Amino acid sequence: MTTAENGVNVQALLDARAALKDAPEAAQFTWRATSKWEKGVHSTIRVQQFHGLGAEQTHKSESVFDADHPAVFAAEDNGITPIEFLLVGLASCLTAGVASVAQNRGIQLRSVESTVEGNHDIRGILGDSDVRNGYNDIKVTFHIDADATKQEIEALVAQSQKRSAVFDALTNPTDVTVTVA
């Protein structure tokens, strides 16, 4: 196997998988985001704390995101739309997977780029009950330059898709509960 350096510590991931096999309760994570309404349809979302490995955890720094709607929706366009965040999550999760699988398989990456497009009929969110509120479909196109054959690159992407938490959440039913405290 060729030695590749894509910046992924595969051994740590493999060690974690082995350790969590014997302690499945530690593998239960709760990811959190907090949102604060600003004005109109603009909100600010913060991510810093989560629960995992049996304890509260904190990212090394807080990430702050603004969500809004564009001017064509009569809004102020202070950030991307909430549905675009799904595309961001999918692109980043699949890309991380490609890098991790490539590292594990000894494939040196030179570049990984993707375009993620979601087709959305907005009549649903505007109240047309005959139209779905969410995406009708999402297409991901990768452009990968690596020391590998086309078939090996396709296998990287397939394995990334198979292990992607975001891909899974988008393509399989997920229980979502909304409450008012």
Side-chain angles (χ1 to χ4, degrees), residues 140-162:
V140 180
T141 305
F142 273 100
H143 299 277
I144 299 173
D145 183 14
D147 292 334
T149 66
K150 183 174 192 242
Q151 291 75 24
E152 290 170 323
I153 291 171
E154 288 171 347
L156 288 178
V157 172
Q159 185 64 17
S160 173
Q161 181 178 322
K162 183 178 177 182

Side-chain angles (χ1 to χ4, degrees), residues 11 34 39 65 169-170 174:
Q11 191 57 55
T34 61
K39 177 184 176 191
F65 306 94
L170 285 172
T174 301

Side-chain angles (χ1 to χ4, degrees), residues 29-112:
F29 276 63
T30 302
W31 304 103
R32 292 189 197 100
T34 61
S35 178
K36 179 182 178 219
W37 172 70
E38 300 294 340
K39 177 184 176 191
V41 292
H42 177 209
S43 60
T44 300
I45 302 91
R46 298 177 182 281
V47 177
Q48 186 165 26
Q49 297 177 331
F50 60 96
H51 182 90
L53 303 176
E56 287 300 309
Q57 307 286 339
T58 303
H59 288 283
K60 67 180 180 179
S61 63
E62 179 181 58
S63 293
V64 180
F65 306 94
D66 284 296
D68 202 353
H69 291 91
V72 297
F73 284 5
E76 295 184 15
D77 205 3
N78 290 305
I80 67 173
T81 63
I83 200 160
E84 287 172 307
F85 277 109
L86 286 175
L87 302 181
V88 171
L90 182 59
S92 61
C93 194
L94 289 172
T95 300
V98 166
S100 297
V101 174
Q103 183 73 46
N104 191 42
R105 294 183 181 177
I107 296 173
Q108 182 62 54
L109 299 172
R110 285 186 288 282
S111 69
V112 179

